[in-house]
Amino acid sequence: MEAFPKQIDNRNFLSPVGFLFSLTKYPKVSFFCNSARIPEINYPSLEQPSYLKQIPVPATILNYGQLNLKFLVDEDMTNYSIIHNWLLGMGFPKSPEQFARFSESGLGDVERLGKIDVKKHFSDGTLTILNSNYNPSVKVKFIDLHPVSLSSLEFDSTSTDIQYFTAEVVFDYTLYELTDKNDELL
């Protein structure tokens, strides 16, 4: 029997520089993330009236913050264009056919747009946290991600130092789960 069964086994600290991000929908594209944050999660309180004071009680709905990622843009702009085209496909700025093409349903006629599976516009994503030896340790699995914004890229020929482009993408999602490297819930 262990003397201290509730003590933490691993005494190494979590490093802020070891992480990877991947999207299920686009497995061949690796996002060269240089900044990611596990979003906040909060459970707001409601106030129950009382003759002495308001009593805070748990509400019924969890609130998740948005997922913000900063990534290095590759020379062919592949990772940037994937997010760009994903946003275009959801918003279909030119015609409803863009929505149909993007959803990969093969339905090109506008009358049948209501039958398109909108779930195809979502993707699951995983932020893999690496341990001190740069091996996967913890995974943050985001369910039903979709982009809501993509930053601009500013070209400037007067710049004297080469600063490689970093873009920022913001995702909304349904929820996230924390798992170990074997996909078991923590």
Side-chain angles (χ1 to χ4, degrees):
M1 185 160 142
E2 287 185 55
F4 301 101
K6 297 201 183 230
Q7 291 292 317
I8 296 173
D9 293 331
N10 185 348
R11 299 284 182 178
N12 293 324
F13 297 110
L14 185 63
S15 170
V17 297
F19 60 94
L20 305 167
F21 183 74
S22 61
L23 286 170
T24 305
K25 190 172 188 162
Y26 303 106
K28 291 187 178 184
V29 176
S30 172
F31 282 84
F32 305 113
C33 287
N34 54 7
S35 174
R37 179 187 317 195
I38 298 174
E40 70 275 1
I41 179 173
N42 65 60
Y43 195 64
S45 293
L46 298 175
E47 292 189 347
Q48 177 181 336
S50 168
Y51 68 94
L52 295 175
K53 74 174 217 93
Q54 300 289 350
I55 300 171
V57 294
T60 57
I61 297 175
L62 283 173
N63 293 323
Y64 290 91
Q66 293 180 313
L67 173 61
N68 296 306
L69 298 175
K70 289 182 184 173
F71 62 94
L72 290 168
V73 179
D74 64 282
E75 192 171 56
D76 296 328
M77 292 181 60
T78 305
N79 51 8
Y80 187 87
S81 66
I82 280 178
I83 300 297
H84 177 267
N85 293 339
W86 193 352
L87 283 163
L88 279 180
M90 289 189 308
F92 52 95
K94 290 183 187 175
S95 70
E97 284 80 14
Q98 278 183 303
F99 183 86
R101 278 194 306 274
F102 183 79
S103 69
E104 301 170 352
S105 69
L107 301 174
D109 93 57
V110 181
E111 290 93 49
R112 296 175 60 193
L113 280 177
K115 297 182 181 186
I116 293 174
D117 183 10
V118 177
K119 277 290 216 188
K120 291 183 180 181
H121 290 277
F122 297 99
S123 175
D124 292 345
T126 303
L127 179 66
T128 304
I129 313 241
L130 307 177
N131 64 17
S132 56
N133 294 322
Y134 292 98
N135 293 319
S137 174
V138 174
K139 295 178 181 178
V140 183
K141 294 186 162 200
F142 294 91
I143 313 300
D144 294 339
L145 281 168
H146 64 279
V148 293
S149 73
L150 179 63
S151 66
S152 61
L153 298 177
E154 182 180 343
F155 292 87
D156 183 2
S157 64
T158 62
S159 188
T160 57
D161 293 333
I162 294 182
Q163 294 282 330
Y164 295 106
F165 277 117
T166 300
E168 185 170 351
V169 60
V170 178
F171 289 100
D172 275 341
Y173 54 93
T174 304
L175 62 99
Y176 67 82
E177 301 173 331
L178 300 173
T179 68
D180 65 12
K181 62 184 176 187
N182 300 317
D183 294 328
E184 297 292 326
L185 288 175
L186 293 180

